[in-house]
Amino acid sequence: GYGMQLMVRTLGGKVFSTKKQWFSKATLHIKNKGNLLKGLPSRIIGWMNEGVLVQEPPAGFSILAGSSTCPVAAMADEKRKLFGLNFHPEVAHTSQGTDILKNFLYDICGFRGDWTMESFIGESVSSIKDRVKDSKAVCGLSGGVDSMVAALLTHKAIGDQLTCIFVDHGLLRKGEVEQVKEIFEKTFRAKLRTVDASAEFLKLLHNVADPEEKRKIIGSHFIRVFEREASSLGKIDFLVQGTLYTDVVESGTAAAATIKSHHNVGGLPERMPFELVEPLRQLFKDEVREVGRLLGLPDGIILRQPFPGPGLAIRVLGPVTKEKLDILREADAIVTEEIKNAGLYEEIWQSFVVLPEIKSVGVKGDERTYDYAVVLRAVESKDGMTADWARLPYDLLEKISYRVVNEVPQVNRFLYDLTPKPPATIEWE
């Protein structure tokens, strides 16, 4: 939308502000398909931000599509090969969005489409070799698919020059430390060092409520732990991270606002003794999973739902304590178990529990309680940039609710979050 609006302003058209800052699914009526919209039906669904709209396109442009609230949702100047969309073709909520992108890339730009993820692997391995040469590198292994794929790509390039450091910051899911050790050692057969730094992180997070501060504290101390562990490995020049493109976008760029800092983007100190190696920085999650498959990772790793680097610290709203983490771990484990039992785990982008800073009155065993409420967040998405809440079956929600409030003593109320992204983010913090 911004690109189209800038094009209109620059070339003499008119834009106007609606003072509405929300996204919506709009029915777009196609008036003139042209090369950009050829092959599409007369009506499609477009996901758009209605904050700024085009009132009148510049001279030479034809209107391709519009909606009831957005008269110029798509425009084109075929002679100059200038095209504009006021909706997002790249997101799953837009029907035929992929077809629009294909028309633009192949028919208008003349691209061939012969680049593959195999090509990406070859280019990445070659690039890492050329950059690292004979130096040593460390990788912050979290156990998630992002860091594992980044580690495996780097290990494929430089072998035993890479040492993976797995930091238990005390903010992981139930049983995750043991699972990561088992999976990594059997799958990667690379150098692995584990360190229990949970007490350090809890101390640093004491009484910290602001989510941005949490993220930056965790990211910064991760580097400090790496520095300390790496010092015993000899000279280390490179730090490998599983940063994705969504992390970069949400952490803000020169032209984009910060939505939330990611520990591997916004939380890094200005001075650190490593150069960064981020082989996945231009990829989305679905692409990372495809790379993992091609590298031979098992489905148990590839299909794991995304888990934030700051871990449960940003799912405990407000100050983090060991008690709150234990409550959250138990509730989250129940949710994961029941969603897997229902055969829905791989269909859902993320499903997890949030612990807000609220308590409510309840009854357990004929006695009054004043305990925590927990919130289930389950969303469907393709790339994490947009998401919709998952329509879980009522009987599954009932079973999860029953187990959580009965098996986790400190919880007496269970809620379900029905908010899409946007306006919400997937994580609460």
Side-chain angles (χ1 to χ4, degrees), residues 17-187:
S17 174
T18 66
K19 302 190 183 301
K20 296 178 181 178
Q21 293 298 329
W22 64 68
F23 283 83
S24 65
K25 294 179 183 179
T27 299
L28 304 178
H29 301 270
I30 296 180
K31 304 174 181 179
N32 174 18
K33 295 184 179 181
N35 288 323
L36 187 63
L37 305 183
K38 70 178 183 180
L40 272 62
S42 59
R43 294 183 181 182
I44 65 172
I45 299 298
W47 187 255
M48 66 170 64
N49 185 334
E50 298 189 15
V52 179
L53 302 176
V54 175
Q55 184 175 11
E56 182 182 320
F61 281 81
S62 61
I63 299 175
L64 303 183
S67 71
S68 59
T69 58
C70 181
V72 187
M75 65 179 193
D77 183 333
E78 298 278 356
K79 290 183 178 179
R80 290 186 288 176
K81 291 191 175 182
L82 299 176
F83 303 85
L85 300 177
N86 206 64
F87 59 94
H88 293 263
E90 77 280 6
V91 302
H93 297 310
T94 294
S95 64
Q96 285 80 39
T98 301
D99 294 327
I100 297 172
L101 293 174
K102 284 181 178 177
N103 286 342
F104 180 72
L105 293 173
Y106 300 152
D107 296 335
I108 295 174
C109 297
F111 292 157
R112 296 189 302 272
D114 55 1
W115 187 87
T116 64
M117 295 315 292
E118 287 91 343
S119 301
F120 170 81
I121 292 173
E123 291 171 7
S124 295
V125 169
S126 178
S127 175
I128 294 169
K129 281 182 180 179
D130 291 343
R131 186 177 175 199
V132 176
K133 295 184 172 60
D134 295 328
S135 300
K136 292 183 179 180
V138 290
C139 177
L141 190 69
S142 69
V145 64
D146 302 339
S147 64
M148 284 196 172
V149 171
L152 191 53
L153 269 174
T154 306
H155 185 258
K156 189 176 179 68
I158 63 173
D160 287 343
Q161 293 168 238
L162 172 70
T163 299
C164 293
I165 298 176
F166 174 53
V167 177
D168 176 11
H169 50 24
L171 308 170
L172 299 170
R173 293 165 287 193
K174 186 177 181 179
E176 194 158 16
V177 176
E178 296 77 16
Q179 184 185 37
V180 166
K181 288 181 181 178
E182 181 181 354
I183 292 176
F184 183 80
E185 290 173 352
K186 288 183 178 180
T187 303

Side-chain angles (χ1 to χ4, degrees), residues 333-363:
I334 291 170
V335 166
T336 300
E337 180 182 345
E338 290 300 333
I339 287 179
K340 285 183 175 180
N341 289 342
L344 297 175
Y345 184 79
E346 294 178 11
E347 297 180 18
I348 297 172
W349 176 263
Q350 272 179 278
S351 52
F352 56 89
V353 176
V354 177
L355 182 65
E357 275 197 293
I358 57 173
K359 288 186 175 183
S360 65
V361 174
V363 179

Side-chain angles (χ1 to χ4, degrees), residues 32 36 43 51 65 67 130 134 195 207 240 258-259 261 318 403 408:
N32 174 18
L36 187 63
R43 294 183 181 182
S67 71
D130 291 343
D134 295 328
V195 53
N207 284 336
V240 181
T258 297
I259 298 170
S261 295
R403 284 196 60 191
V408 185

Side-chain angles (χ1 to χ4, degrees), residues 323-331 355 372 408 410-411:
E323 178 196 18
K324 291 179 179 179
L325 290 170
D326 290 340
I327 293 169
L328 192 56
R329 255 188 284 268
E330 292 301 320
L355 182 65
Y372 287 102
V408 185
Q410 304 92 332
V411 175

